[in-house]
Amino acid sequence: ISPSFLKMGNILNILRNVAMKGVIAYGMCLVIISGEIDLSVGSQVALSGVIAAYISKWLAEAGIMPVETGVLAGIVVAILVALLTGLFHAWARQKFNMPSFIITLATLNILYGLAAIICGGFPIANAFPTWYAFLGSGRIAEIPVPAIVFLLIFVFFWFLTEKTDLGRRIYAVGGNAEAARLNGISVWKTRLFVMCVVQLMCVLSGVMNSAQVRSATFTFGRGWETQIISSVVIGGTSMLGGIGTIWGTLIGVLFTGVISNAMTLLNVNEFMQYVVNG
């Protein structure tokens, strides 16, 4: 209906808009295939951006290093926090046999609270260098950088699931963890890998998101977990584990992105958009 829908500019706009949640959806796909779930991803997105901004600004104000390099230190710290979060999820799942739903529901609130404490409840501005904005709003050959990242991450996860032994182990653990263990597959290591990978994707998303708006606050990413899980399930991944593809997740992400874009182009009422998405 909209004459501007099929134009290249709008298609690239769709790819850019879905990239932030899309890279996490790939990681979430692996988590769900392995029979687990991670509800903390939205909070980790916010925390990653806040940590990068806070450390960058603190280092600059303390005269230790300028924001041009300080932001890199912030990103490294955000990566370490994400890996520790993934490690905790996998450890609690293995040690106490707690459902990952409960574990990650707890960390969803913990990470959200930590992000709010660090930023003091207000956005952290003037913490990023000029080059940092390129990660969120830059273009290479007229293609948005987030869209390029989104497609490159797709290739990585597709290769991982389709062409590697680790990918087959993830499917095996999700299909039947006990049978996988009896066949010599380390269920613990497999869960640790998928739990850490999805957290790393949150850092990547948090960096691109904060780079796009050039600030960071604790509300970024709030509620993303339900939209991300929806995209993965729409793409054919079974919540019971063992079934799903990265191709399907790509289609699920684009499907939800196109619907949102179309409603915007057609000026659909904002509240009605929630109903249509549901």
Side-chain angles (χ1 to χ4, degrees):
I1 298 174
S2 172
S4 59
F5 176 73
L6 288 176
K7 291 183 178 178
M8 183 57 66
N10 186 59
I11 293 173
L12 292 176
N13 186 47
I14 292 174
L15 288 175
R16 185 192 65 189
N17 290 339
V18 302
M20 313 292 181
K21 298 171 187 172
V23 293
I24 304 175
Y26 295 142
M28 185 68 76
C29 179
L30 295 191
V31 172
I32 296 177
I33 288 174
S34 71
E36 306 300 329
I37 196 76
D38 191 339
L39 300 177
S40 70
V41 291
S43 297
Q44 187 64 261
V45 169
L47 182 60
S48 297
V50 166
I51 287 176
Y54 180 84
I55 291 180
S56 175
K57 195 168 187 176
W58 176 77
L59 289 174
E61 291 177 347
I64 299 174
M65 63 175 67
V67 291
E68 281 74 19
T69 52
V71 68
L72 296 176
I75 294 173
V76 170
V77 174
I79 289 174
L80 292 176
V81 170
L83 289 174
L84 286 174
T85 304
L87 174 62
F88 171 74
H89 290 164
W91 172 78
R93 179 74 177 89
Q94 184 76 12
K95 180 72 174 179
F96 305 108
N97 198 30
M98 293 173 62
S100 53
F101 179 92
I102 299 299
I103 302 167
T104 58
L105 181 63
T107 52
L108 178 156
N109 291 287
I110 293 171
L111 298 178
Y112 179 72
L114 288 175
I117 290 170
I118 292 172
C119 71
F122 294 95
I124 302 177
N126 304 317
F128 300 126
T130 304
W131 66 262
Y132 188 76
F134 180 78
L135 301 176
S137 55
R139 290 176 178 266
I140 298 177
E142 297 304 315
I143 302 175
V145 170
I148 295 174
V149 173
F150 174 63
L151 296 175
L152 289 177
I153 295 296
F154 163 77
V155 173
F156 168 77
F157 277 99
W158 173 84
F159 182 83
L160 175 68
T161 55
E162 298 291 333
K163 304 295 181 180
T164 68
D165 181 59
L166 175 58
R168 288 188 287 274
R169 292 181 183 183
I170 294 171
Y171 280 97
V173 169
N176 190 319
E178 181 61 16
R181 185 187 67 81
L182 294 173
N183 277 280
I185 296 174
S186 174
V187 176
W188 149 250
K189 289 182 180 179
T190 303
R191 285 173 176 165
L192 176 62
F193 175 78
V194 297
M195 289 295 192
C196 286
V197 161
V198 73
Q199 290 292 319
L200 289 177
M201 291 301 101
C202 292
V203 176
L204 177 59
S205 178
V207 167
M208 292 192 295
N209 193 28
S210 60
Q212 191 174 73
V213 298
R214 304 187 185 188
S215 67
T217 187
F218 69 104
T219 56
F220 286 170
R222 189 66 170 169
W224 279 18
E225 53 278 342
T226 54
Q227 299 171 44
I228 290 167
I229 293 170
S230 296
S231 297
V232 175
V233 174
I234 287 171
T237 302
S238 171
M239 291 295 289
L240 300 177
I243 298 173
T245 64
I246 296 299
W247 268 112
T249 297
L250 172 65
I251 294 171
V253 169
L254 293 176
F255 180 80
T256 53
V258 165
I259 288 177
S260 177
N261 175 262
M263 288 191 293
T264 300
L265 291 177
L266 296 175
N267 295 316
V268 175
N269 180 279
E270 178 186 357
F271 305 117
M272 181 57 69
Q273 289 190 27
Y274 284 102
V275 177
V276 174
N277 280 323

